[in-house]
Amino acid sequence: MGALLAFPSVFRDYTDNFTEWKQQTFSSLPALMKVVITKHEKSWNAKLAENLTMPLIVMEKPDQVHPGVWIGSYSSVVNDDLMNNRIDVVLNMAIECDYTLKQPKTQLVKIGIEDGRLTNCGVFRKAAEVIYNARENGQSVLAHCAAGVSRSATAVLSYLMIYEGMGWSDGLTYVQKSRPCVNPHPLLVRSVIRDLGSDFIP
């Protein structure tokens, strides 16, 4: 793995080269991956409705979901107490969130994507590598999107699968224990399966 600093400080979504999920159709997937997709798509709407009943402050507050790994909303990055004391690397997964950090020692990496659609190839593998390199360097990392529900959570789940050997289903349950609002969009799940290939663990 390359050093964290090998990543540009801003890595933008390359939507001009966007391709639909044609590399691996649903019918050609292994049975266990089909089960993951089908189960998640069935539960997604119910979780979405549950999230709508949560107080906004629940989503705005960042949560540590794994040692040294946090998931939060856009508002998390303006929390000076959190940023000054705990976070070394910020991974911005939201294409619509542009800002600079007040903290000069905190590194910002942007892999901005849209929610609710298939992503470009390789996005979640790159996001997982950012998190991995931060942890290998003993750094804490905050992954965020707009609400800290879908895109940033999917990035963390990709890291847990590739580098921690955790399955998608177990990883989702694990992350939701610390951040109950986590609910990756079904098209992001399909994007992860495409990106990770054999590294995707059902």
Side-chain angles (χ1 to χ4, degrees):
M1 298 297 168
L4 185 63
L5 292 177
F7 283 86
S9 59
V10 176
F11 179 89
R12 295 196 178 279
D13 184 34
Y14 37 108
T15 49
D16 287 344
N17 297 320
F18 178 79
T19 56
E20 293 295 336
W21 198 58
K22 295 177 181 177
Q23 296 90 337
Q24 190 176 38
T25 61
F26 184 81
S27 60
S28 68
L29 288 173
L32 282 176
M33 291 186 184
K34 291 180 185 178
V35 169
V36 169
I37 289 174
T38 303
K39 181 181 177 182
H40 187 75
E41 288 179 351
K42 286 180 178 178
S43 65
W44 183 76
N45 281 326
K47 187 65 177 174
L48 182 63
E50 179 185 320
N51 282 351
L52 292 175
T53 67
M54 289 184 182
L56 188 59
I57 193 171
V58 172
M59 293 187 191
E60 290 181 342
K61 179 181 69 69
D63 296 292
Q64 184 171 237
V65 298
H66 190 66
V69 180
W70 297 68
I71 296 176
S73 65
Y74 167 66
S75 62
S76 300
V77 298
V78 296
N79 183 329
D80 290 336
D81 179 63
L82 174 77
M83 298 297 293
N84 287 329
N85 295 302
R86 303 185 216 173
I87 302 301
D88 302 303
V89 178
V90 171
L91 173 59
N92 177 2
M93 295 298 297
I95 193 170
E96 70 275 21
C97 295
D98 279 315
Y99 57 86
T100 56
L101 293 173
K102 299 176 185 176
Q103 299 78 12
K105 293 183 180 179
T106 302
Q107 184 181 4
L108 173 62
V109 180
K110 181 167 184 176
I111 307 180
I113 60 173
E114 293 182 36
D115 201 7
R117 64 176 289 182
L118 297 164
T119 68
N120 301 296
C121 295
V123 162
F124 288 111
R125 189 172 287 279
K126 286 181 182 295
E129 188 172 355
V130 170
I131 297 170
Y132 170 78
N133 284 333
R135 294 304 299 137
E136 280 293 286
N137 290 332
Q139 297 173 309
S140 57
V141 56
L142 168 66
H144 83 85
C145 46
V149 170
S150 183
R151 291 168 285 184
S152 53
T154 306
V156 170
L157 286 163
S158 298
Y159 160 76
L160 292 175
M161 280 189 287
I162 297 174
Y163 297 106
E164 300 289 349
M166 201 175 292
W168 173 270
S169 298
D170 289 342
L172 183 59
T173 300
Y174 173 71
V175 168
Q176 285 175 335
K177 285 180 181 177
S178 300
R179 189 168 179 83
C181 63
V182 161
N183 190 30
H185 192 282
L187 286 179
L188 295 188
V189 181
R190 293 189 180 220
S191 299
V192 169
I193 287 174
R194 178 207 59 207
D195 280 6
L196 270 59
S198 61
D199 285 328
F200 183 88
I201 308 171

